[in-house]
Amino acid sequence: MEFSAKTTLPEKQRSDCIVLGIFENQKMSSAAESVDTLCEGYLKNILRTGDMEGKLGQILLLHHVPNVTAERVLLIGCGSERELADKAFRDIIRKMISRILQTGAIEAACYLVELPVKNRDVHWKVRQIVQMTIEAFYRFDQFKSQKEKVRQNLKRMALGIPSKKEIREAERAITEGQAIANGIAFAKDLGNLPPNICTPSYLAKEAEKLAKSFPSLSAAILDEKQIAALKMGALLSVGQGSKNPPRLITLEYRGRKDKQKPIVLVGKGITFDTGGNSLKPPIAMIGMKYDMCGGAAVLATLRAAAELELPLNIIGVIASAENMPGNSATRPEDIITSMSGLTIEILNTDAEGRLVLCDALTYSERFDPEIVIDVATLTSAIILALGSQASGLFSNYPPLAKELFNAGMTSGDRCWEMPLWDEYQESLNSNFADVANVANPPEVGSVLAACFLSRFTKKFKWAHLDIAGVATRSSGKERGATGRPVALLVQYLLDYLPAAS
Ligand code: BES
Ligand code: MN
Ligand code: ZN
């Protein structure tokens, strides 16, 4: 898909399909007004028939509108002009894309950037349109012998920009939107791959492939021997039941020549989570191929940063393993020693995410990080708490939590802060080791998982994103990985830029 930002007036626009907004009570947007003038009231007459009232999401496709050179004019209901906010705008854009894709139009000219979305500027609107349009083309059909035939006529979209002085902003938004959408597609692909293909060493190869295609990226892979040499007993204990051995993947992005301290992104990369010897029941095991989505999001975010050439230093660390049961797998009540030296009593081998993460977090210390953010499909409890609307956000540094929250609101890839109070910590005390990996009896799952991690993050500013509820959609045609929270993380990096320069 190609996007362009133009100040061309809609009545002058040559295109296969011009998209115009109509507000409630048949009020025309200014682009619609000017087309209506050109076609001498043809649109107004149509509104009078009652076929387009301007209700949110309503849609009317017209052909051969008098005096208009474009083949089609697509009218989209935008609801109340005064109440137009993020969600309504996204609903409008989604409607627009799905309707255009049903036509034979190869190029479209969209005049919805002028819609007055509350507190949002041209940059935001353009980026949403670009991101959503590219996402609409996403398919994962590499394992289908009969590919569903989807019409993909649309090749170009021109975005009508209200004024010349906003063109550069709009072009920047197009570039960002494309890089974010490419990152999201990359994360979705990795997430959707079956676990017999996407193993820890497969993830490692993907990191190496990224490093080959972007000179600003470099990858370093540690195998199980090297992981053992680093004394990462927690990561090893999770991987030891599988014939697909663990990998510690480091992908480094150097966007600056100076020695600016890096932002470290840590990802959970469990390529399949059976629960280990604390075996999951069959129903709960479905969806556990996505347990590497945190790691995929980290790789994808670095990919986007490299594509955008952000002037930052960023390091991705992915702890990848397969959590299998069996003879050589960890038992409940085993005690292991983590890289930090803290001993861990493993009371439930299904609480493996925090184990691989704690060693990756300790490992992050060597980069002298400015900030560390980990991303993990960590607990089912976060799904009960927040559903699919927001990632759970935990942090030991309030300004960082605020920045992530704000980045979520801007990107639409939201997160919501949860507490990390000391009073919770007691539940993780063990009679036999420094810490237990779960509370016995189980309680406040997501908070305790974060509390466990917090014991390994005392040396830096840290935030944890529990993405178990947002990383996948579990039903419907859209079943599969969502690519979240790539948009949130890239937004965080973009917002971080002014402070870093
Ligand atoms: N990968 C799971 C969390 C998960 C569950 C992600 C459902 C997505 C959907 C994690 O490793 C896990 O098994 N967590 C347990 C922890 C419990 C044993 C303390 C959970 O949340 O049930
Ligand atoms: Mn588990
Ligand atoms: Zn897991």
Side-chain angles (χ1 to χ4, degrees), residues 268 270 273 280 288 291 350 352-353 377-378:
K268 169 176 174 181
I270 298 295
D273 181 11
K280 285 181 187 290
M288 285 306 126
D291 215 16
D350 196 13
E352 85 297 341
T377 47
L378 204 62

Side-chain angles (χ1 to χ4, degrees), residues 267-285:
K268 169 176 174 181
I270 298 295
T271 58
F272 196 73
D273 181 11
T274 64
N277 280 331
S278 312
L279 197 64
K280 285 181 187 290
I283 290 180
M285 220 182 279

Side-chain angles (χ1 to χ4, degrees), residues 9 56 87 120-121 144 149 190 206 237 246 249 276 282 287 360 382 385 394 443 479 500:
L9 295 169
L56 187 69
K87 180 179 180 298
R120 297 301 187 194
D121 56 9
K144 292 211 184 250
K149 283 215 181 68
L190 286 181
E206 286 295 312
S237 76
I249 303 163
I382 203 69
F394 301 81
E443 50 167 312
R479 190 164 79 94

